[in-house]
Amino acid sequence: MPTPTSSHPWPASRVRQTFIDFFRSKPGPGPQGHSFVPSSTVVPLDDPTLLFTNAGMNQFKPIFLGQADPASNLGRLRGGRAVNSQKCIRAGGKHNDLEDVGKDTYHHTFFEMLGNWSFGDYFKKESITWGMELLTRVFGIPRDRLYATYFQGEPSLGLEPDIETRDIWKSLLPESHVLPGNMKDNFWEMGDTGPCGPCSEIHYDRIGPEARGGRNAASLVNTGDPDVLEIWNHVFIQFNREDGGTLKPLPARHVDTGMGLERLVSILQNVRSNYDTDVFAPIFAAIERATGARSYMGRLGQDDDGNIDTAYRVIADHIRTLTFAITDGATPSNLGRGYVLRRILRRAVRYGRQMLGARTGFFSQLVPVVVQHMGEAYPELRKDPARVENIIREEEESFGRTLDRGIALFEDALDEAIDRAISRVRIPRAIPYGSPSLDAREELRRVKEKLAKREQVVLAGPIVISSEDAFKLHDTYGFPIDLTVLMAQERPYKVTVDVPGYDGLMAAAKEKARSGGAKFTAATGRIELDADAIARLAHMGVKPTDDIDKFHGRDIRATVKAIFNGLNFDEHTDSASNVDLVGIILDKTNFYAEMGGQEHDAGRLAVTRESRSGPSDLHAGGEFRVDSVQSFAGYILHIGHLVKGEIRVGDDVQLSIDHGRRSAIASNHTATHLLNLALRETLGDGVDQKGSLVAPDRLRFDFSHPRPVAPEELAAIECTVRDQIDANQGVYAESAPLFVAKSVNGLRAVFGETYPDPVRVVSIGARVRDLLDDPTSALWLDNSIEFCGGTHVQSTKAIGDFALTSEEAVAKGV
Ligand code: SER
């Protein structure tokens, strides 16, 4: 295999620049030359119809649709022409090449598309003749290795054959090199909707007519032959595919071409694979350094023993995709394009670990080589490569934690699949069968060995990894289903995965999540324990949480009793567990769960676990950030994200609440009580609490009152509260028997609310004990006394200050 170096006459950088310069120098009959328009980002943040930028024309879509603002940079291109090299990703969505990457020599998830455009300016003739001029005269490609296709028409859609294009090609190429093509190959569409039109593809035959017998490759065009490949597509945009599928003619006709840079470079460097060019050579060298694997040898399929070269191709392709996508603002996640990126990353990491013996971290180490070799053409790569590297490293580490266990589970699942497939087999005589005393397990082992060696074994049925195992690999170990399928395909004998069954389990899990069962959505950031989950907790012997420590809020230690992923209870969670939010249940807590209008606490849980390196090694545990705390039937769910490490059931954790948030909430809660009292003093006894919200940054108090509160009344209320704050009154809280507490003069309870017995009494300026000693005393009418389970400051001065910002009716009489 020739090893291309940058001393090659056509390094990729020169090919790219030559293309751009060629079209810049082509002003032609139109009003202006081709403007260089830099590549748009590979993450089309403003086009919800696309996962990733999949073609150079994406950024020009508004011009084709006549929607570009004439005063904008895009709008000014109308009637003109443009050229560039566009960063593209084809993974997920309509144009998806992910499954082919690594297996052949010319598919990529990330590639560069060289393109030229006419926006209502020149059309077919110029586009095709300039294309031929560039390929044959500038790049020196022999004409007789080129083949061209044109659209044969589709009568059922009223689409005519593209005779004009056919005839242009016939004037440029031998007639036998001009071929008709159908909708699939010769009608290009950007996505389910968007600009589209008939297209004409240029294909190149790597072998050529010099081959013995004077080869004509026409029959190999569009058949997936690695030596006959499409290099350039010229699309004649004339329609918009609308929602619902109709094709609506556009007011003007446009040209949109796209040529795969990597393919063109492979042709000009005279190698048989894109991966044998200087585009990939530096990345392969970096992979070799990072993993210590043998050098890349370019082997394919069965010849690629141990899938080593496949792994090289996959990893090199995928690091380009991840580096560009993250640079342009995407991040691996559980949703949408983020999940496509996560799948791509996990695919690469698994190949590296399993095929090349790489260590976790190898993948992120490849970012610099991509930046170094592509940073000149795409300067954005140089802005903050450390950020890109960090994001990839964190993802890699988190998947790395479950990867080995997932691979082990896969092997077990495969063993079971084989057992199922051969349990009913009649072993043919050809297989040495051993003595009758041979036990059944030994027999099984031998049959498996035969299978592994691809010797003839009669199977009673296919070897199928069960849907349950595939689901578990996804759910617990973070193996995307396509990764499991890929691992099955790597076996030397045929193994499949029950994907329909897996889809069913996924759909059921999602449905369960949706339909009032255990509720969990990343979008709402909520996890809820429903009746079923609560019953399961009780069945597991988990008791409702003791939350007495919430009132003092100081750090405590507690034991993890259950880990809830929104659907099920897990034994452990780590950042690779593939869930966005997790709910942790402990035996006791100092966190305040959202209740009675008071917002929940936030904070963190820290696990320290004994490890070999010391009795209390932080790294052996984990850290969990608590974003929300909710109570369900006495079970307090600490909801949040694992920040690092892992948490297991049975772990001893330290609970620390966010004291800043807590004290801001406490101030507002005590102020709410003072406001309640001030309202009664100013507006009279008719004022009854109808609801409240106590947040860290504000409070809201709903009360019954038949008319708007006058400005002077508001001023008086505000004054009363401030006076109480200034008076620095003590705030007291104690439990009391309900019937005694209820008799306290001036007590404020919310009408219709049922209170526990004993009930917690919060009073300001008078000790609860004193109230209970003399409940009917008229003295208490001047004090705030409420049944309340919330958290408060110790004395009113701590509130600081108080201001009313608005007063309005939220309902009639409220
Ligand atoms: N948009 C067309 C394609 O992607 C030509 O660039 O093939």
Side-chain angles (χ1 to χ4, degrees):
M1 184 191 81
T3 321
T5 63
S6 52
S7 61
H8 192 282
W10 284 113
S13 53
R14 182 176 168 218
V15 178
R16 189 191 293 117
Q17 199 56 49
T18 303
F19 180 91
I20 292 166
D21 292 344
F22 176 84
F23 282 100
R24 273 177 142 167
S25 74
K26 283 280 179 228
Q32 49 181 288
H34 286 75
S35 319
F36 174 75
V37 179
S39 170
S40 63
T41 64
V42 85
V43 181
L45 295 166
D46 52 358
D47 188 344
T49 69
L50 278 179
L51 273 176
F52 295 103
T53 299
N54 63 17
M57 53 74 70
N58 291 175
Q59 68 173 317
F60 303 118
K61 184 174 157 187
I63 313 184
F64 299 132
L65 299 183
Q67 293 166 342
D69 175 351
S72 68
N73 285 343
L74 264 191
R76 278 194 280 274
L77 287 170
R78 244 178 58 190
R81 46 190 75 179
V83 60
N84 75 14
S85 175
Q86 169 70 44
K87 311 175 274 190
C88 296
I89 291 180
R90 288 193 173 175
K94 180 172 162 66
H95 298 277
N96 180 10
D97 292 337
L98 179 61
E99 310 312 322
D100 296 316
V101 171
K103 294 180 187 164
D104 65 23
T105 54
Y106 55 96
H107 275 103
H108 308 289
T109 55
F110 174 88
F111 65 100
E112 288 177 74
M113 188 184 276
L114 304 168
N116 59 285
W117 292 272
S118 148
F119 307 112
D121 182 8
Y122 62 81
F123 207 44
K124 299 177 182 177
K125 183 145 195 290
E126 293 86 344
S127 182
I128 292 172
T129 31
W130 286 341
M132 273 302 274
E133 181 187 340
L134 176 64
L135 291 180
T136 56
R137 297 224 190 113
V138 180
F139 289 133
I141 296 175
R143 179 182 308 264
D144 54 12
R145 288 189 175 216
L146 296 174
Y147 295 79
T149 63
Y150 65 92
F151 182 48
Q152 69 191 15
E154 180 52 59
S156 69
L157 297 172
L159 296 171
E160 301 283 317
D162 188 356
I163 301 301
E164 184 185 353
T165 295
R166 183 196 66 187
D167 292 342
I168 299 168
W169 277 120
K170 279 189 176 168
S171 71
L172 297 166
L173 288 177
E175 192 156 342
S176 68
H177 287 216
V178 181
L179 313 162
N182 57 18
M183 280 295 280
K184 178 178 147 289
D185 291 322
N186 283 92
F187 194 92
W188 196 84
E189 307 204 35
M190 170 181 154
D192 294 333
T193 58
C196 54
C199 64
S200 175
E201 299 172 344
I202 305 175
H203 294 251
Y204 174 79
D205 178 17
R206 288 195 198 275
I207 296 174
E210 304 87 339
R212 259 210 307 215
R215 164 175 161 117
N216 180 314
S219 64
L220 298 173
V221 166
N222 273 330
T223 60
D225 187 303
D227 289 321
V228 182
L229 62 164
E230 179 197 338
I231 52 173
W232 200 349
N233 190 13
H234 291 227
V235 184
F236 307 118
I237 292 190
Q238 296 171 47
F239 304 99
N240 184 35
R241 174 80 73 180
E242 311 217 302
D243 272 338
T246 40
L247 285 176
K248 191 170 164 204
L250 292 169
R253 301 184 309 173
H254 314 273
V255 171
D256 153 40
T257 88
M259 174 148 61
L261 172 75
E262 296 79 359
R263 293 184 183 185
L264 177 61
V265 170
S266 76
I267 291 167
L268 298 181
Q269 295 186 358
N270 195 25
V271 290
R272 271 179 87 175
S273 155
N274 296 358
Y275 290 96
D276 294 340
T277 64
D278 70 337
V279 174
F280 288 98
I283 307 182
F284 286 164
I287 295 173
E288 192 178 329
R289 280 195 302 277
T291 64
R294 66 138 169 88
S295 307
Y296 179 70
M297 292 169 73
R299 292 181 177 160
L300 288 163
Q302 303 271 321
D303 295 337
D304 182 20
D305 205 16
N307 282 316
I308 292 177
D309 291 331
T310 305
Y312 265 103
R313 287 186 289 269
V314 168
I315 294 165
D317 171 86
H318 290 4
I319 194 61
R320 295 194 336 143
T321 303
L322 267 298
T323 304
F324 275 94
I326 296 174
T327 297
D328 280 353
T331 34
S333 75
N334 266 350
L335 289 172
R337 67 168 69 102
Y339 192 53
V340 177
L341 291 181
R342 179 167 280 174
R343 275 162 50 208
I344 294 175
L345 181 138
R346 291 183 176 187
R347 212 163 178 263
V349 168
R350 203 274 319 190
Y351 266 107
R353 281 277 281 274
Q354 220 180 348
M355 312 301 175
L356 304 185
R359 286 167 190 259
T360 297
F362 81 96
F363 193 56
S364 59
Q365 284 169 26
L366 303 173
V367 171
V369 71
V370 177
V371 175
Q372 189 191 339
H373 286 271
M374 304 198 70
E376 192 169 335
Y378 303 100
E380 61 275 20
L381 290 174
R382 294 185 173 151
K383 272 198 201 133
D384 194 0
R387 183 187 75 89
V388 178
E389 207 172 320
N390 282 340
I391 291 174
I392 294 180
R393 192 181 44 246
E394 275 170 26
E395 270 290 306
E396 197 180 348
E397 283 172 356
S398 98
F399 184 50
R401 280 194 282 277
T402 53
L403 179 59
D404 290 335
R405 276 178 288 152
I407 291 173
L409 173 72
F410 178 87
E411 294 299 331
D412 289 348
L414 179 57
D415 266 354
E416 281 167 25
I418 295 175
D419 289 352
R420 279 193 299 274
I422 64 175
S423 61
R424 285 152 287 148
V425 87
R426 279 185 303 113
I427 298 169
R429 277 198 210 110
I431 293 180
Y433 200 44
S435 68
S437 65
L438 203 65
D439 81 26
R441 292 233 303 275
E442 175 59 13
E443 198 173 292
L444 192 64
R445 190 187 62 76
R446 286 188 176 208
V447 175
K448 282 183 196 167
E449 266 178 27
K450 296 284 164 197
L451 267 173
K453 289 183 193 153
R454 279 179 284 156
E455 289 182 27
Q456 274 288 305
V457 170
V458 180
L459 290 170
I463 303 174
V464 185
I465 306 259
S466 75
S467 54
E468 288 81 10
D469 284 328
F471 184 75
K472 188 163 180 199
L473 275 166
H474 164 85
D475 206 39
T476 312
Y477 299 99
F479 279 46
I481 184 68
D482 46 347
L483 179 54
T484 304
V485 169
L486 187 71
M487 289 167 72
Q489 287 167 349
E490 278 165 10
R491 297 291 147 162
Y493 41 91
K494 189 170 158 75
V495 180
T496 56
V497 180
D498 180 2
V499 176
Y502 165 89
D503 288 342
L505 291 176
M506 281 296 282
K510 281 189 191 144
E511 181 53 31
K512 190 162 178 219
R514 221 183 356 251
S515 67
K519 291 192 197 75
F520 162 66
T521 70
T524 59
R526 288 183 71 85
I527 290 185
E528 295 180 6
L529 292 173
D530 66 341
D532 174 45
I534 289 163
R536 279 187 284 158
L537 276 172
H539 188 72
M540 286 153 61
V542 179
K543 302 227 164 49
T545 318
D546 174 359
D547 65 348
I548 190 73
D549 291 310
K550 71 185 178 190
F551 293 115
H552 64 71
R554 291 184 295 277
D555 284 12
I556 60 165
R557 301 194 74 86
T559 306
V560 177
K561 290 293 180 187
I563 298 172
F564 188 56
N565 65 22
L567 291 172
N568 293 309
F569 294 97
D570 296 326
E571 276 307 295
H572 84 286
T573 186
D574 60 26
S575 22
S577 297
N578 218 19
V579 284
D580 269 339
L581 284 178
V582 176
I584 307 258
I585 296 167
L586 306 158
D587 58 344
K588 56 186 179 184
T589 188
N590 60 347
F591 280 76
Y592 185 89
E594 191 169 297
M595 217 177 315
Q598 179 178 330
E599 285 197 4
H600 56 79
D601 277 331
R604 68 182 200 116
L605 311 178
V607 187
T608 49
R609 189 176 306 129
E610 303 254 321
S611 82
R612 259 177 281 158
S613 55
S616 166
D617 176 1
L618 266 173
H619 301 290
E623 187 183 319
F624 185 86
R625 197 183 73 211
V626 180
D627 296 326
S628 170
V629 188
Q630 304 289 333
S631 173
F632 304 95
Y635 292 104
I636 294 186
L637 203 57
H638 304 79
I639 300 165
H641 305 259
L642 197 72
V643 179
K644 63 171 189 258
E646 59 167 357
I647 292 192
R648 295 175 176 280
V649 171
D651 275 341
D652 180 39
V653 294
Q654 164 134 346
L655 288 68
S656 312
I657 66 164
D658 172 345
H659 288 283
R661 178 180 166 91
R662 164 69 75 95
S663 65
I665 289 175
S667 290
N668 280 334
H669 203 156
T670 307
T672 307
H673 286 208
L674 293 178
L675 173 62
N676 193 358
L677 179 71
L679 283 166
R680 185 182 58 183
E681 287 182 349
T682 314
L683 304 177
D685 276 338
V687 168
D688 258 318
Q689 177 169 356
K690 291 293 176 198
S692 75
L693 168 79
V694 180
D697 55 345
R698 70 194 193 285
L699 66 90
R700 194 195 74 225
F701 191 78
D702 303 342
F703 59 96
S704 55
H705 193 57
R707 58 181 180 274
V709 185
E712 55 280 11
E713 291 171 324
L714 290 172
I717 292 163
E718 203 174 65
C719 257
T720 309
V721 175
R722 285 183 171 162
D723 289 344
Q724 295 274 346
I725 292 171
D726 288 340
N728 198 16
Q729 313 233 40
V731 181
Y732 306 94
E734 238 172 272
S735 275
L738 186 59
F739 82 95
V740 189
K742 267 189 165 166
S743 65
V744 173
N745 204 358
L747 171 110
R748 311 293 290 168
V750 178
F751 180 71
E753 184 89 70
T754 49
Y755 289 99
D757 189 9
V759 69
R760 187 165 180 265
V761 180
V762 174
S763 88
I764 301 177
R767 290 172 194 281
V768 177
R769 225 168 307 141
D770 296 341
L771 308 177
L772 298 176
D773 281 346
D774 189 5
T776 51
S777 165
L779 275 179
W780 314 138
L781 279 174
D782 292 329
N783 292 94
S784 155
I785 304 163
E786 298 198 21
F787 290 168
C788 173
T791 57
H792 290 268
V793 294
Q794 290 188 337
S795 61
T796 54
K797 195 87 187 161
I799 295 170
D801 209 345
F802 175 88
L804 289 175
T805 58
S806 72
E807 186 276 333
E808 65 187 87
V810 293
K812 192 166 162 42
V814 180

